[in-house]
Amino acid sequence: MTAPLRVGNASGFYGDRFTAWREMLDGGELDVLTGDYLAELTMLILGRDRLRDPDLGYARTFLRQLEGCLGTALERGVRIVTNAGGLNPAGLAAAIGSLADRLGLPARIGYVEGDALARPDALTANAYLGAFGIAACLDAGADVVVTGRVTDASLAVGPAIARFGWGRGDLDALAGATVAGHLIECGAQVTGGNFSFFTELPDGGHRPGFPIAEIHPDGSSVLTKHPGTGGAVTVETVTAQLLYEVGGPEYLGPDVVTRLDTVELAPDGRDRVRVSGVRGTPPPDTLKVGVNNLGGFRNSMTFVLCGLDIPAKAALVRGQIEAAVGTEGLEFVLARTDHVDAVDTEAASALLHVHLRDGDKARAGRAFSAAAVELALASYPGCTLTTLPGDATPYGVFTADAVPQDAVAHVAVLPSGERVPIAPPPPPPPETCLEGHLAQPNALAGCPSLQATRRGALGELVGARSGDKGGDANLGVWARTDATWAWLCGWLTVQRLAELLPETAPLSVQRYELPNLRAVNFVIRGLLGQGVAASTRFDPQAKALGELLRSRIVDLPAELPAGPPDGNAESVREATP
């Protein structure tokens, strides 16, 4: 078939907008509707669910969403693909079958399994599978396909394989669809959600619509959304999402290595951005494996320190807490939120966050929180807390490793019940690189000499998007104009990043340039410690790291004006009625 495949997405995480499934089905024509529910933290949550009840382990919210939408999807021929199966795709498939029977609907359900690996010492261990199992279910006539841990982009790539008949060797097409899948996987983030320049959006970013990728037979695509929905789809909103949670220019996947430095973006009309030029090389012979373990127990108490002598007050609390429970596992973080000569208590106060992690639930629980509360009348002047005493809660530790592709039993379970093994890709040939060279980590481009500068926030000229990958964080920064890019690519070095974000200075940081996007991407190793669930950082998923960078006051080139590129704000406002 030569007509494009219209793939919408109605969920970017477990807890996303509940009504999005109905909005996407009612908003316009679709061929496929996907839902992404799995993150590294979600797998930990589902693992704890399964400890309580072995029949659980999937995203139960999806069932409630589907109850009001399944009939509409079947009536309109919209096929549903979701990774809401989590740790129990067979269980969710059976639950959907029971739901369909109760509603009197003839739904054909397939599912994909094999990602769960036997690791007796782990709470969860799951390989990131590719898209060919999804395609096999769709080829067999499935109306609904449920998966466990596949790559997020596979939810869109699988339907494209089924529609266009791509094989393992169609690497550029697979890479193009992977980009499309990556762009829509996080829901409204590509249509204006969490966008640096949200004030320029037609509705000010109040309720962005969910995205659609029109995927063509060659793997190119057009990103768009239903008419009349909020937000916008522009080259910049697409750039922002393309930079989200990626590493170097080689984007590794189970079916293809996608070269992000070949992606070309161009406007294609109202709320439409064309994505083309994507090149792919053979995938690695291993699969990524995400492993979650219970790391112990944690608890936190926060003291309010008001007025004078803030460091001395914090030191007193530290000494008292350490004397009461010992020093092991304690972490003290002083947030200087106080202002000099403030006229109210809140503006005059700093916050001392005290965290404790321990394998002993009793020590991390009431023994710790009660020790903090007992200081209320026996510590610094004005002593007060924002937290009540409570028990410790378990936390998880995420790690990643790899297994050979041929060591994983990737299986498509068709609506008929037939089990179809999905063969791994052939071993990559010795030479699989495209012509040219990848941008080198920590590469420094020549920075044009500045005739004059002005002091201003970096975000006047650039946008940013940041996120988490286990214990690492990524920070993508893009320039709004060619002139700004000519300055940014040489100015924003690893050394400069360390000056602007001092917490990155002692860490290993890789820097990659993506000239087609006018962007640089930093991968900051270890910023989040043992992963989101274990991190005590104020911003544990590094979601705000990019906005922190944009807020720093620096010397900007005087010849580069602040604000949107010429005509950009007006064109965006006109793009959506």
Side-chain angles (χ1 to χ4, degrees), residues 458-473:
L458 179 59
E460 295 178 21
L461 299 183
V462 304
R465 177 66 61 78
S466 55
D468 63 287
K469 277 296 180 186
D472 302 334

PDB file of all heavy atoms in Angstrom, residues 458-473:
ATOM      1  N   LEU A 458      20.368  32.591  28.955  1.00  0.00           N
ATOM      2  CA  LEU A 458      20.675  31.759  27.787  1.00  0.00           C
ATOM      3  C   LEU A 458      19.403  31.375  27.046  1.00  0.00           C
ATOM      4  O   LEU A 458      19.387  31.261  25.819  1.00  0.00           O
ATOM      5  CB  LEU A 458      21.436  30.515  28.240  1.00  0.00           C
ATOM      6  CG  LEU A 458      21.835  29.510  27.162  1.00  0.00           C
ATOM      7  CD1 LEU A 458      22.731  30.145  26.109  1.00  0.00           C
ATOM      8  CD2 LEU A 458      22.525  28.301  27.792  1.00  0.00           C
ATOM      9  N   GLY A 459      18.311  31.171  27.774  1.00  0.00           N
ATOM     10  CA  GLY A 459      17.051  30.768  27.163  1.00  0.00           C
ATOM     11  C   GLY A 459      16.408  31.802  26.274  1.00  0.00           C
ATOM     12  O   GLY A 459      15.414  31.507  25.613  1.00  0.00           O
ATOM     13  N   GLU A 460      16.949  33.002  26.236  1.00  0.00           N
ATOM     14  CA  GLU A 460      16.457  33.985  25.268  1.00  0.00           C
ATOM     15  C   GLU A 460      16.760  33.548  23.840  1.00  0.00           C
ATOM     16  O   GLU A 460      16.068  33.958  22.897  1.00  0.00           O
ATOM     17  CB  GLU A 460      17.083  35.361  25.524  1.00  0.00           C
ATOM     18  CG  GLU A 460      16.696  36.003  26.845  1.00  0.00           C
ATOM     19  CD  GLU A 460      17.390  37.330  27.055  1.00  0.00           C
ATOM     20  OE1 GLU A 460      17.826  37.930  26.042  1.00  0.00           O
ATOM     21  OE2 GLU A 460      17.515  37.775  28.213  1.00  0.00           O
ATOM     22  N   LEU A 461      17.806  32.721  23.691  1.00  0.00           N
ATOM     23  CA  LEU A 461      18.259  32.333  22.350  1.00  0.00           C
ATOM     24  C   LEU A 461      18.078  30.856  22.038  1.00  0.00           C
ATOM     25  O   LEU A 461      18.084  30.481  20.871  1.00  0.00           O
ATOM     26  CB  LEU A 461      19.744  32.683  22.187  1.00  0.00           C
ATOM     27  CG  LEU A 461      20.138  34.157  22.326  1.00  0.00           C
ATOM     28  CD1 LEU A 461      21.630  34.316  22.068  1.00  0.00           C
ATOM     29  CD2 LEU A 461      19.341  35.035  21.377  1.00  0.00           C
ATOM     30  N   VAL A 462      17.944  30.018  23.069  1.00  0.00           N
ATOM     31  CA  VAL A 462      17.929  28.579  22.817  1.00  0.00           C
ATOM     32  C   VAL A 462      16.789  27.916  23.582  1.00  0.00           C
ATOM     33  O   VAL A 462      16.298  28.422  24.590  1.00  0.00           O
ATOM     34  CB  VAL A 462      19.267  27.907  23.224  1.00  0.00           C
ATOM     35  CG1 VAL A 462      20.435  28.568  22.518  1.00  0.00           C
ATOM     36  CG2 VAL A 462      19.463  27.923  24.731  1.00  0.00           C
ATOM     37  N   GLY A 463      16.376  26.748  23.090  1.00  0.00           N
ATOM     38  CA  GLY A 463      15.445  25.883  23.807  1.00  0.00           C
ATOM     39  C   GLY A 463      16.190  24.682  24.351  1.00  0.00           C
ATOM     40  O   GLY A 463      17.343  24.418  23.976  1.00  0.00           O
ATOM     41  N   ALA A 464      15.542  23.941  25.241  1.00  0.00           N
ATOM     42  CA  ALA A 464      16.191  22.772  25.829  1.00  0.00           C
ATOM     43  C   ALA A 464      15.143  21.737  26.212  1.00  0.00           C
ATOM     44  O   ALA A 464      13.988  22.066  26.477  1.00  0.00           O
ATOM     45  CB  ALA A 464      17.020  23.159  27.052  1.00  0.00           C
ATOM     46  N   ARG A 465      15.554  20.495  26.244  1.00  0.00           N
ATOM     47  CA  ARG A 465      14.728  19.377  26.699  1.00  0.00           C
ATOM     48  C   ARG A 465      15.651  18.386  27.392  1.00  0.00           C
ATOM     49  O   ARG A 465      16.707  18.052  26.852  1.00  0.00           O
ATOM     50  CB  ARG A 465      14.010  18.739  25.510  1.00  0.00           C
ATOM     51  CG  ARG A 465      13.164  17.505  25.795  1.00  0.00           C
ATOM     52  CD  ARG A 465      11.943  17.759  26.661  1.00  0.00           C
ATOM     53  NE  ARG A 465      10.964  18.678  26.138  1.00  0.00           N
ATOM     54  CZ  ARG A 465      10.046  18.408  25.200  1.00  0.00           C
ATOM     55  NH1 ARG A 465      10.000  17.228  24.639  1.00  0.00           N
ATOM     56  NH2 ARG A 465       9.179  19.326  24.837  1.00  0.00           N
ATOM     57  N   SER A 466      15.298  17.921  28.576  1.00  0.00           N
ATOM     58  CA  SER A 466      16.158  17.018  29.335  1.00  0.00           C
ATOM     59  C   SER A 466      15.337  15.873  29.902  1.00  0.00           C
ATOM     60  O   SER A 466      14.110  15.953  30.000  1.00  0.00           O
ATOM     61  CB  SER A 466      16.865  17.782  30.464  1.00  0.00           C
ATOM     62  OG  SER A 466      15.920  18.443  31.296  1.00  0.00           O
ATOM     63  N   GLY A 467      16.015  14.800  30.296  1.00  0.00           N
ATOM     64  CA  GLY A 467      15.317  13.635  30.833  1.00  0.00           C
ATOM     65  C   GLY A 467      16.284  12.633  31.406  1.00  0.00           C
ATOM     66  O   GLY A 467      17.490  12.887  31.526  1.00  0.00           O
ATOM     67  N   ASP A 468      15.758  11.458  31.775  1.00  0.00           N
ATOM     68  CA  ASP A 468      16.536  10.462  32.489  1.00  0.00           C
ATOM     69  C   ASP A 468      16.654   9.169  31.700  1.00  0.00           C
ATOM     70  O   ASP A 468      15.773   8.817  30.935  1.00  0.00           O
ATOM     71  CB  ASP A 468      15.876  10.160  33.838  1.00  0.00           C
ATOM     72  CG  ASP A 468      14.491   9.560  33.680  1.00  0.00           C
ATOM     73  OD1 ASP A 468      13.556  10.292  33.320  1.00  0.00           O
ATOM     74  OD2 ASP A 468      14.330   8.343  33.909  1.00  0.00           O
ATOM     75  N   LYS A 469      17.759   8.488  31.938  1.00  0.00           N
ATOM     76  CA  LYS A 469      17.976   7.125  31.460  1.00  0.00           C
ATOM     77  C   LYS A 469      18.733   6.392  32.551  1.00  0.00           C
ATOM     78  O   LYS A 469      19.960   6.496  32.638  1.00  0.00           O
ATOM     79  CB  LYS A 469      18.759   7.117  30.142  1.00  0.00           C
ATOM     80  CG  LYS A 469      17.908   7.333  28.908  1.00  0.00           C
ATOM     81  CD  LYS A 469      16.906   6.217  28.712  1.00  0.00           C
ATOM     82  CE  LYS A 469      16.055   6.424  27.471  1.00  0.00           C
ATOM     83  NZ  LYS A 469      14.992   5.404  27.364  1.00  0.00           N
ATOM     84  N   GLY A 470      18.004   5.678  33.421  1.00  0.00           N
ATOM     85  CA  GLY A 470      18.647   5.048  34.552  1.00  0.00           C
ATOM     86  C   GLY A 470      19.268   6.098  35.451  1.00  0.00           C
ATOM     87  O   GLY A 470      18.623   7.061  35.856  1.00  0.00           O
ATOM     88  N   GLY A 471      20.553   5.938  35.755  1.00  0.00           N
ATOM     89  CA  GLY A 471      21.245   6.913  36.589  1.00  0.00           C
ATOM     90  C   GLY A 471      21.830   8.069  35.817  1.00  0.00           C
ATOM     91  O   GLY A 471      22.402   8.995  36.409  1.00  0.00           O
ATOM     92  N   ASP A 472      21.690   8.058  34.491  1.00  0.00           N
ATOM     93  CA  ASP A 472      22.221   9.129  33.646  1.00  0.00           C
ATOM     94  C   ASP A 472      21.123  10.117  33.272  1.00  0.00           C
ATOM     95  O   ASP A 472      19.933   9.811  33.375  1.00  0.00           O
ATOM     96  CB  ASP A 472      22.839   8.557  32.370  1.00  0.00           C
ATOM     97  CG  ASP A 472      23.941   7.563  32.654  1.00  0.00           C
ATOM     98  OD1 ASP A 472      24.568   7.666  33.726  1.00  0.00           O
ATOM     99  OD2 ASP A 472      24.178   6.684  31.800  1.00  0.00           O
ATOM    100  N   ALA A 473      21.536  11.282  32.829  1.00  0.00           N
ATOM    101  CA  ALA A 473      20.596  12.281  32.325  1.00  0.00           C
ATOM    102  C   ALA A 473      21.073  12.753  30.964  1.00  0.00           C
ATOM    103  O   ALA A 473      22.267  12.729  30.668  1.00  0.00           O
ATOM    104  CB  ALA A 473      20.493  13.466  33.280  1.00  0.00           C
TER     105      ALA A 473
END
